[in-house]
Amino acid sequence: MLKSTYDKKYVWHPYTQMKEWTNARAPVITSGRGFYLIDENDEKYFDGISNMWCNVWGHNRNEIISAMIKQLRDLPHSSQFGLAGSSSINLAQQLIKMAKGMDKVFYTDNGSTAIEAAMKMAVQFWRNKGRGEKRSFISLKNGYHGDTIGCMSIGYVDGFFSPYKSILMKNIFRIPSPTIRNWKFKGGKNDLTADECIGIAEKVIKKNASVTAAFVMESGAQLAGGVKIYPEGFQKQISDLCKKHEILFILDEIATGFGRLGNMTEYSAQGSSPDIVCYAKALTAGYFPLAVTLTTNNIFSAFLGKYNDRKQFYHGHTFTGHSMGCAAATANLILYERYDLISKIRKNMRHLEKLLEDLIEIDIVTDVRQKGLLAAIELRKNNKDIMTVCKKPIGQFIAEESLKQGMYLRSLENIMLVIPPLAIGRNDLKRIIDVYRSVIRKIKKQIS
Ligand SMILES: Cc1ncc(COP(=O)(O)O)c(C=O)c1O
């Protein structure tokens, strides 16, 4: 890595120890070509983590860029307050076609705000219906829904959010999520089966239904909480319990929708029926911050009345439904259809499964979990998580070693993540696994 001409000391990076960062030799990315990110010295890095799980087609997809340029020339953005924007109308129509059972689209500008909007919608729904103050939420342990106060409250991950615990919402009930591990993992003493989790969920829902606005969970799998893929039927059973006990069911498809798990809408594949479902990340193929909170006519109609009834939804951001984002998302959805991306993802997920099988030979690989183009490779030694390598946190070691091999990857500590751009080809998938294999071997050497 050559010396940088940029002075990096002014930008404060997320989830980053800045004292160490200032001296770190992280590349400064200046352009993108296909699936590669290119730095100021013309070094190329394959984007193996889809730019934090959102990139679909690579970084210079003409159809999306042209749609955005056209939108920029026509009008960069039209507010949603008191005006309607043509690009947000067009996109909403497409999304409703895509999302079975959903009737309305509420726009925000990132995943966290889509979830915040969903939570507020749920609370106000019950109030507007005259059912009083249902202020509590039920969620899954280890869920992750974003970094704003409401999102941290429902998706509490101890390793991330303990500094803010004192300001988080107190009225949250958490259900354990089932642990499905494959291969060599022996199982922890706290691991629960899906049936045990459903049993606990039923008790908690029954007891608290009268004060609970909604059950919120990631759809199909928990991602940032350690890549926990739900066993078949689990999500549907939660969905059915919510209906039975009259609480709303909110699904977060921000990371798992749009094909990540092999389905355009994961909730349909799971046989579940949400009242509210959120998308962001791949929605614009990673080209613009945009998010949506979709809901049903049943929820929407509770917000109708006269202005003075004050039933309207009091939520909106300056950049809600940004015209550039809507143009990018519309172009993205056209590409999904034109190239039948979901079929391609389904073929590639079988290929990925085969590639991952080879890793199990390595003794420190204790588990591999996969669904669609999402996989986790868990590293443990003597039945303990490997947390440090060469005196560095393992995540940092993995990131640095993969960058040296021209690959941008990020892990969740000892859980290596495979979350590639969704339109990736087979050779590139193999490259990612090859880099991981070589990094795993280095880790093994360093800790033995
Ligand atoms: C499942 C899930 N929900 C919500 C979010 C928050 O999205 P954003 O980072 O756009 O606020 C994320 C981000 O990683 C996520 O994985």
Side-chain angles (χ1 to χ4, degrees):
M1 227 173 276
L2 298 172
K3 210 169 165 359
S4 177
T5 55
Y6 289 84
D7 191 346
K8 290 190 271 175
K9 69 172 175 277
Y10 300 104
V11 178
W12 189 345
H13 288 256
Y15 284 78
T16 302
Q17 177 40 260
M18 292 305 294
K19 187 165 181 203
E20 290 176 20
W21 166 264
T22 313
N23 299 320
R25 303 185 66 199
V28 176
I29 301 301
T30 52
S31 61
R33 281 282 165 278
F35 296 121
Y36 285 87
L37 296 161
I38 302 169
D39 77 7
E40 57 183 314
N41 299 310
D42 232 19
E43 295 267 354
K44 288 179 171 174
Y45 305 90
F46 188 87
D47 181 4
I49 203 73
S50 56
N51 234 357
M52 291 317 287
W53 322 343
C54 62
N55 191 273
V56 178
W57 305 99
H59 295 281
N60 63 330
R61 188 74 194 197
N62 261 341
E63 293 91 332
I64 301 177
I65 294 170
S66 304
M68 292 177 78
I69 291 173
K70 180 176 181 321
Q71 183 62 52
L72 192 55
R73 289 216 172 97
D74 290 348
L75 173 73
H77 179 49
S78 157
S79 166
Q80 298 249 317
F81 291 85
L83 294 172
S86 56
S87 60
S88 61
I89 294 174
N90 292 339
L91 175 61
Q93 240 167 346
Q94 274 189 298
L95 290 170
I96 292 308
K97 241 198 295 169
M98 168 196 104
K100 200 169 136 247
M102 295 294 124
D103 303 298
K104 301 288 170 188
V105 177
F106 189 87
Y107 285 105
T108 58
D109 42 23
N110 61 65
S112 306
T113 53
I115 295 288
E116 294 282 345
M119 291 172 73
K120 283 174 66 177
M121 220 176 249
V123 169
Q124 196 180 343
F125 168 79
W126 293 113
R127 193 184 157 92
N128 285 359
K129 294 282 274 186
R131 294 281 294 273
E133 300 294 335
K134 287 182 30 112
R135 300 197 181 97
S136 300
F137 288 88
I138 306 177
S139 61
L140 292 185
K141 281 184 187 158
N142 274 317
Y144 176 82
H145 299 285
D147 284 356
T148 50
I149 305 280
C151 293
M152 286 193 290
S153 302
I154 51 166
Y156 185 76
V157 178
D158 196 49
F160 298 164
F161 301 144
S162 49
Y164 321 108
K165 199 169 183 176
S166 59
I167 55 162
L168 301 186
M169 294 161 61
K170 303 283 179 258
N171 42 345
I172 310 292
F173 307 104
R174 282 193 195 82
I175 309 294
S177 49
T179 308
I180 298 295
R181 287 194 160 101
N182 307 313
W183 300 2
K184 292 184 278 177
F185 191 84
K186 300 276 187 300
K189 61 178 175 346
N190 297 323
D191 286 359
L192 294 177
T193 65
D195 284 348
E196 287 168 324
C197 294
I198 291 293
I200 297 169
E202 176 141 37
K203 277 193 200 128
V204 173
I205 292 173
K206 210 167 155 185
K207 185 166 169 218
N208 300 294
S210 64
V211 294
T212 298
F215 194 118
V216 192
M217 63 188 259
E218 284 155 272
S219 187
Q222 292 183 318
L223 223 160
V227 186
K228 294 188 168 188
I229 296 157
Y230 306 142
E232 216 182 309
F234 175 73
Q235 184 163 317
K236 180 179 182 327
Q237 280 176 283
I238 298 280
S239 170
D240 292 347
L241 283 174
C242 291
K243 299 281 169 299
K244 183 173 160 195
H245 295 282
E246 289 200 336
I247 62 171
L248 301 186
F249 187 40
I250 299 176
L251 280 176
D252 176 345
E253 299 214 353
I254 287 160
T256 51
F258 271 71
R260 177 58 65 195
L261 302 185
N263 303 296
M264 199 66 193
T265 57
E266 183 59 23
Y267 68 86
S268 314
Q270 296 275 345
S272 56
S273 37
D275 299 286
I276 302 175
V277 58
C278 302
Y279 296 92
K281 295 216 186 261
L283 171 64
T284 65
Y287 280 64
F288 205 86
L290 184 80
V292 288
T293 303
L294 309 187
T295 194
T296 61
N297 274 332
N298 177 43
I299 303 296
F300 177 75
S301 58
F303 289 76
L304 304 179
K306 297 208 170 69
Y307 259 94
N308 286 341
D309 297 341
R310 299 183 67 79
K311 284 189 168 180
Q312 50 270 42
F313 188 36
Y314 290 96
H315 192 94
H317 305 277
T318 307
F319 295 123
T320 283
H322 199 286
S323 309
M324 298 285 290
C326 292
T330 302
N332 183 31
L333 278 171
I334 292 170
L335 288 177
Y336 265 76
E337 248 184 63
R338 185 179 301 156
Y339 294 101
D340 194 5
L341 185 62
I342 296 298
S343 300
K344 181 177 175 182
I345 290 171
R346 287 181 183 167
K347 282 185 197 140
N348 276 342
M349 76 194 200
R350 286 190 283 278
H351 184 62
L352 176 61
E353 197 179 333
K354 286 208 183 77
L355 291 169
L356 289 165
E357 273 170 20
D358 286 348
L359 297 179
I360 201 65
E361 299 300 320
I362 310 172
D363 58 355
I364 60 168
V365 174
T366 51
D367 192 31
V368 176
R369 316 185 262 284
Q370 184 221 348
K371 186 170 182 197
L373 288 184
L374 165 71
I377 305 157
E378 196 161 316
L379 304 182
R380 292 163 63 91
K381 193 177 176 200
N382 300 333
N383 235 2
K384 287 203 182 79
D385 293 344
I386 300 168
M387 297 306 281
T388 311
V389 184
C390 295
K391 298 190 181 147
K392 290 178 188 167
I394 185 168
Q396 195 185 330
F397 182 85
I398 294 167
E400 287 173 9
E401 288 299 317
S402 40
L403 277 180
K404 279 187 207 162
Q405 296 188 43
M407 180 75 64
Y408 171 47
L409 292 170
R410 281 181 73 82
S411 59
L412 296 165
E413 296 179 329
N414 65 320
I415 300 175
M416 293 171 143
L417 298 175
V418 183
I419 313 184
L422 289 162
I424 192 171
R426 288 181 171 204
N427 290 342
D428 288 329
L429 261 182
K430 181 173 180 313
R431 270 202 64 202
I432 294 176
I433 303 304
D434 286 346
V435 169
Y436 266 147
R437 186 185 298 103
S438 112
V439 175
I440 295 168
R441 293 221 163 102
K442 275 194 181 159
I443 292 172
K444 186 176 155 157
K445 206 164 151 196
Q446 289 301 331
I447 60 172
S448 57

